[in-house]
Amino acid sequence: CYAHIVNGEDLLHVTVFISHCWAENFDMFCEAIFETFRQWPVKPNLWICAFALFQTTDPSKIALQVGTGKDPRNAPFSRALKSAEKVLI
């Protein structure tokens, strides 16, 4: 994924976990994120599930990513949510 390409194995701490609704307008989603953090003096490290997870309609791949399998604690979605300081939905 992109974070591994940019940061190698030294992944950044998740400051804000951002989730979304598939029914929302994408431009409005991006604008809302931009406006939320525009005034922050130190830009946070964002984990945005729409960008961080492989987008697919395959239920087995979705289960691995969001933690609906046998051990949800190891799914990327669950690990990012657990480690984040803040959540934005």
Side-chain angles (χ1 to χ4, degrees):
C1 80
Y2 178 76
H4 284 282
I5 293 168
V6 173
N7 302 305
E9 292 303 313
D10 298 322
L11 298 180
L12 303 175
H13 171 73
V14 177
T15 310
V16 183
F17 176 97
I18 300 175
S19 192
H20 63 96
C21 171
W22 283 112
E24 72 188 327
N25 176 283
F26 183 74
D27 290 337
M28 291 174 67
F29 171 66
C30 292
E31 183 63 25
I33 294 170
F34 174 77
E35 284 301 316
T36 298
F37 301 108
R38 187 171 54 91
Q39 298 294 325
W40 285 36
V42 177
K43 299 306 178 204
N45 296 323
L46 306 177
W47 193 91
I48 305 172
C49 64
F51 305 134
L53 298 177
F54 176 65
Q55 304 301 308
T56 180
T57 57
D58 182 332
S60 64
K61 289 187 171 87
I62 293 169
L64 290 173
Q65 295 186 94
V66 299
T68 59
K70 293 182 181 179
D71 189 1
R73 295 172 297 175
N74 290 325
F77 185 94
S78 302
R79 290 192 336 249
L81 181 57
K82 181 180 177 182
S83 69
E85 294 175 25
K86 299 180 184 326
V87 174
L88 176 65
I89 298 176

